[in-house]
Amino acid sequence: ETLINLVSKMSQNYDMVFANRFSAQSKIKSYPKKKLFANRLCNFVIKFLFNFKSQDITNAVKVYKTNILKNLILDSQGFEIFAEIPLKLFKQGFRNFTEITIDHDAGDEKYSKFDIFREGPRYFKIILKCFFQN
């Protein structure tokens, strides 16, 4: 259902469409407090540095126009790719995006491959790299 909604929004001539877990209408289940704090901090830093008006830029659920991805050079090694792609595109002038509301169930933390102590520094490194690149 989410994928159908994302693609439907893309047909309205957007460059990028992001799923948003943190809109007022979203329902979030089982999100660990440390991870939530880190997520909100990361999204705040991105908003502040780039003036990027997304509420949930770190979310993995996104769609892009194929042609804007073709010449993108990526540096990510992990989950930070979900911030790197939209930030690099945004800096290239692709600012026509929107978000759709989704509900999010973080599931059981013991099965998560996301390690905040490994991934957190990677996120901030890629954010700074994107900020200082031309």
Side-chain angles (χ1 to χ4, degrees), residues 69-87:
L69 294 172
K70 289 191 181 208
N71 297 319
L72 201 58
I73 298 169
L74 300 171
D75 300 304
S76 294
Q77 304 271 324
F79 288 97
E80 75 276 13
I81 195 167
F82 302 124
E84 182 184 12
I85 293 171
L87 288 176

Side-chain angles (χ1 to χ4, degrees), residues 4-115:
I4 291 168
N5 291 337
L6 287 164
V7 172
S8 176
K9 274 290 186 190
M10 281 295 285
S11 69
Q12 296 174 19
N13 207 27
Y14 289 102
D15 295 322
M16 309 176 271
V17 181
F18 311 140
N20 180 352
R21 301 167 287 184
F22 299 104
S23 76
Q25 298 80 26
S26 295
K27 294 180 186 103
I28 300 175
K29 181 179 170 192
S30 306
Y31 210 107
K33 289 188 187 324
K34 281 189 263 183
K35 192 172 171 183
L36 178 62
F37 175 77
N39 177 289
R40 299 292 68 212
L41 177 62
C42 187
N43 278 276
F44 173 80
V45 168
I46 289 170
K47 273 186 191 180
F48 178 77
L49 290 177
F50 296 88
N51 197 28
F52 202 123
K53 303 290 190 211
S54 171
Q55 287 186 308
D56 195 11
I57 197 67
T58 57
N59 190 359
V61 183
K62 301 177 177 97
V63 293
Y64 302 91
K65 283 187 177 176
T66 306
N67 65 317
I68 69 174
L69 294 172
K70 289 191 181 208
N71 297 319
L72 201 58
I73 298 169
L74 300 171
D75 300 304
S76 294
Q77 304 271 324
F79 288 97
E80 75 276 13
I81 195 167
F82 302 124
E84 182 184 12
I85 293 171
L87 288 176
K88 285 188 172 180
L89 292 173
F90 190 77
K91 283 197 71 175
Q92 289 178 8
F94 298 103
R95 296 176 180 213
N96 184 20
F97 75 93
T98 192
E99 296 180 320
I100 65 164
T101 297
I102 64 166
D103 294 332
H104 180 65
D105 183 351
D108 192 337
E109 191 174 4
K110 68 182 175 186
Y111 296 111
S112 175
K113 293 188 180 3
F114 186 91
D115 178 348

